[in-house]
Amino acid sequence: MVELLQRDLIERKYDVCFGHGDQNDDGILEMADCIALGARVIAYLEEPFDSPKALELLRSFGQFWQHLTGKLDADHDGKITPEEFREGMRQAWVDDPGGFETAFRPAAQALWNLCDKNDNGTVAAEEFARFHKAFGTSEENSRIAFEKLDTNGNGNLSVDELVDAWKEFYTSLDPDARGNWLFGDIWEKDIWDGTKVKL
């Protein structure tokens, strides 16, 4: 029973992630989707596309994609279905913690460094909301996420805390992990339509 609940939790989180990544809404993920998501984040954070932070985000997103496809794109067609994504994410990050450190942590670090506009090591609520808007997260879920992650109520989240929350979201099987709230209430009834996430 516990294993079933853990599987449901991690699969729901991966379904949400797939919904973020499928930028052209065609039901598959490709390299272009990954780069398009990075570009959306850069645009919503109003960062110059040629800045060091923007270039690092795009580089790290590309590295993440190469690592992920290396784990699960058996036919080398450069396309990933929702089912392949679920299995591949688990193999890439849960079953291989070193894989997260190699390929996904750099993407998380680059993302939150970009959100930290004034380089003070923290992300304010407004910056956090812009990140969520780029990912297609609703305003309500963005608010919920910030409240759940801002445990001391000071109105800021440290970059280190957010990197840790990112890791928990994508790797933790613990239903009480704080990082499960990174994108708000992912358990809401109507978020999954059977083929893709409705964000």
Side-chain angles (χ1 to χ4, degrees):
M1 184 62 168
V2 172
E3 288 185 6
L4 180 61
L5 292 173
Q6 289 177 334
R7 189 186 70 202
D8 288 347
L9 169 63
I10 202 74
E11 288 184 354
R12 170 53 67 99
K13 291 192 287 185
Y14 292 160
D15 290 344
V16 168
C17 182
F18 188 94
H20 294 152
D22 186 13
Q23 290 290 293
N24 62 4
D25 204 30
D26 65 353
I28 59 171
L29 293 184
E30 300 175 274
M31 178 71 165
D33 289 309
C34 188
I35 298 305
L37 178 58
R40 276 178 62 89
V41 173
I42 293 167
Y44 275 90
L45 268 294
E46 298 178 356
E47 182 75 16
F49 275 84
D50 60 351
S51 78
K53 285 185 177 182
L55 293 174
E56 177 59 20
L57 181 73
L58 293 174
R59 186 199 67 78
S60 64
F61 270 37
Q63 180 187 18
F64 156 74
W65 178 258
Q66 292 301 325
H67 186 89
L68 189 65
T69 54
K71 288 283 186 180
L72 60 103
D73 187 14
D75 59 3
H76 306 290
D77 66 351
K79 299 177 182 179
I80 299 174
T81 67
E83 295 75 22
E84 289 174 327
F85 189 74
R86 280 183 176 183
E87 183 61 26
M89 289 289 281
R90 185 167 189 136
Q91 289 176 2
W93 318 127
V94 178
D95 298 341
D96 179 16
F100 181 91
E101 298 301 322
T102 300
F104 214 4
R105 181 177 287 276
Q109 191 71 54
L111 174 65
W112 298 118
N113 286 344
L114 183 71
C115 291
D116 177 16
K117 298 292 286 181
N118 61 3
D119 295 316
N120 68 350
T122 64
V123 174
E126 180 183 349
E127 295 162 338
F128 190 71
R130 287 185 182 185
F131 143 74
H132 267 157
K133 192 169 184 181
F135 271 68
T137 304
S138 69
E139 289 184 13
E140 175 63 11
N141 266 331
S142 182
R143 182 190 62 77
I144 291 169
F146 195 86
E147 288 178 357
K148 292 287 187 179
L149 296 176
D150 183 20
T151 54
N152 63 6
N154 70 354
N156 288 290
L157 298 170
S158 78
V159 169
D160 290 342
E161 284 178 325
L162 286 166
V163 170
D164 288 344
W166 186 273
K167 181 175 183 178
E168 284 186 342
F169 185 87
Y170 291 104
T171 66
S172 179
L173 301 174
D174 179 3
D176 296 321
R178 191 166 60 110
N180 292 339
W181 294 97
L182 183 62
F183 294 103
D185 184 6
I186 62 165
W187 297 273
E188 64 181 85
K189 182 179 178 183
D190 296 326
I191 201 168
W192 178 251
D193 74 357
T195 59
K196 59 186 174 66
V197 172
K198 299 188 296 182
L199 297 171

